């Protein structure tokens, strides 16, 4: 056993063995070991064609499939000039939940050319404040051209003064202040990597990702696996500390129920 237990004052380190029903198997990741809460933000701006939109939907559904059967939960929101939370956090531990998330994604339409088809990162990030997700993943093909929760700020076609990205950064930082991690996935060649970095972090392939529409599916599937491994490693190395003091009765020399148990390789050496 890799744990150290001290009854009275105890420190227990959870390991792969304790996390896998005590089997000690540290090989393949079991369905029960990865429990993520992800808020997925999908760009539906005018710049995304029907064909490109289909690739986004297929990639996003592949992301769901990669987590299917785990205790993970995913919510889905779409953004254009404004943002809409389409589906709240939904468990993927059963097939019905995964199907619900994928059906939500499949219902999104692309290839639009209307006045509401701009890109508003501020509204997108703001929509995640009320979602109990620990990770927010934004999929976008372009720089923000609008700002304001109602999309009233900005021209809708550029960001000459940088006000739109500044608004997006502010909302992303609010999510981080709430303890949420922001991951930005830039699709195609029409957006600034610096903008992705500004809302997420400066580590490539961890805080932000860049990809093509064709390669998006493989990128998101790999991201799902990466996030699961990080989640499991965090559980493995995080110490669970439990300190308790038995009732103190009588004099200072009498401490009832005092025990000290140390797990070692040879049980005969335990005291």
């Amino acid at each position: 056993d890799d744990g150290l237990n001290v009854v009275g004052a105890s420190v227990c380190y959870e390991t792969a063995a304790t996390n896998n029903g005590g089997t000690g198997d540290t090989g393949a990741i079991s369905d029960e070991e990865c429990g993520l809460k992800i808020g997925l933000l999908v760009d539906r701006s005018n710049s995304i064609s029907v064909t490109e939109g289909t690739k986004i939907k297929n990639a996003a559904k592949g992301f769901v499939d990669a987590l299917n059967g785990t205790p993970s939960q995913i919510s889905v929101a779409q953004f254009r000039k404004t943002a809409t939370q389409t589906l709240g956090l939904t468990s993927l531990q059963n097939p019905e939940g995964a199907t619900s998330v994928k059906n939500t994604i499949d219902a999104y339409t692309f290839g639009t050319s209307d006045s509401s088809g701009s890109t508003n990162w501020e509204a997108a990030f703001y929509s995640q404040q009320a979602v109990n997700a620990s990770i927010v993943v934004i999929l976008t093909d372009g720089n923000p051209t609008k700002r304001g929760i109602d999309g009233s700020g900005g021209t809708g076609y550029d960001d000459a003064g940088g006000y739109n990205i500044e608004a997006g950064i502010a909302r992303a930082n609010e999510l981080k202040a709430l303890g949420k991690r922001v991951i930005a996935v830039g699709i195609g060649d029409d957006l600034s990597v610096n903008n992705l970095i500004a809302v997420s972090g400066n580590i490539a392939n961890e805080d932000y990702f860049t990809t093509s529409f064709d390669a998006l599916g493989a990128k998101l599937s790999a991201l799902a696996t990466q996030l699961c491994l990080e989640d499991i490693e965090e559980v493995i190395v995080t110490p669970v500390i439990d300190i308790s003091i038995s009732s103190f009765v009588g004099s200072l020399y009498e401490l009832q129920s005092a025990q000290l148990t140390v797990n070692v390789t040879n049980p005969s050496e335990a005291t």
Side-chain angles (χ1 to χ4, degrees):
D1 187 274
D2 293 314
L4 171 65
N5 289 308
V6 179
V7 179
S10 66
V11 181
C12 173
Y13 288 93
E14 293 190 8
T15 65
T18 61
N19 238 333
N20 197 27
T23 64
D25 180 12
T26 58
I29 301 169
S30 71
D31 290 346
E32 291 77 17
E33 289 180 314
C34 174
L36 304 167
K37 290 185 177 180
I38 299 173
L40 186 63
L41 288 168
V42 180
D43 187 343
R44 284 191 52 245
S45 55
N46 286 348
S47 57
I48 302 174
S49 69
V50 172
T51 299
E52 291 169 339
T54 298
K55 292 176 181 178
I56 288 177
K57 290 195 288 186
N58 288 339
K61 289 185 294 181
F63 183 71
V64 175
D65 284 335
L67 297 171
N68 191 11
T70 74
S72 297
Q73 301 174 53
I74 291 184
S75 67
V76 188
Q78 59 89 26
F79 65 97
R80 309 175 76 224
K81 177 183 177 180
T82 58
T84 304
Q85 187 67 42
T86 317
L87 182 70
L89 282 173
T90 302
S91 174
L92 304 180
Q93 200 157 19
N94 56 73
E96 294 78 15
T99 298
S100 178
V101 176
K102 290 193 289 184
N103 285 346
T104 299
I105 295 168
D106 243 347
Y108 287 156
T109 58
F110 292 89
T112 54
S113 58
D114 58 292
S115 59
S116 296
S118 47
T119 305
N120 189 337
W121 287 10
E122 179 184 9
F125 289 128
Y126 180 77
S127 73
Q128 299 306 289
Q129 289 193 4
V131 179
N132 188 32
S134 56
I135 302 171
V136 174
V137 178
I138 182 171
L139 310 179
T140 184
D141 82 316
N143 301 309
T145 58
K146 277 287 186 178
R147 65 184 181 274
I149 308 307
D150 61 355
S152 58
T155 63
Y157 56 84
D158 65 11
D159 190 21
Y163 301 117
N164 301 329
I165 184 59
E166 287 179 3
I169 293 169
R171 295 299 182 180
N173 286 341
E174 288 176 357
L175 293 181
K176 295 173 188 177
L178 292 172
K180 303 176 188 290
R181 175 182 176 184
V182 176
I183 297 175
V185 180
I187 313 165
D189 302 319
D190 294 330
L191 77 172
S192 166
V193 172
N194 288 335
N195 285 347
L196 298 177
I197 292 172
V199 296
S200 58
N202 57 12
I203 304 178
N205 299 318
E206 184 174 321
D207 297 322
Y208 72 94
F209 298 80
T210 57
T211 184
S212 65
F213 285 96
D214 289 333
L216 179 61
K219 185 73 72 174
L220 290 186
S221 293
L223 175 60
T225 300
Q226 178 179 326
L227 291 174
C228 269
L229 289 172
E230 290 174 2
D231 183 60
I232 293 167
E233 287 171 359
E234 181 177 349
V235 172
I236 290 174
V237 302
T238 301
V240 178
I241 302 175
D242 178 19
I243 300 176
S244 60
I245 300 176
S246 301
S247 59
F248 188 87
V249 180
S251 70
L252 292 174
Y253 301 100
E254 293 178 330
L255 182 61
Q256 292 184 342
S257 303
Q259 277 187 309
L260 177 62
T261 303
V262 180
N263 294 329
V264 293
T265 303
N266 185 352
S268 65
E269 296 177 9
T271 59

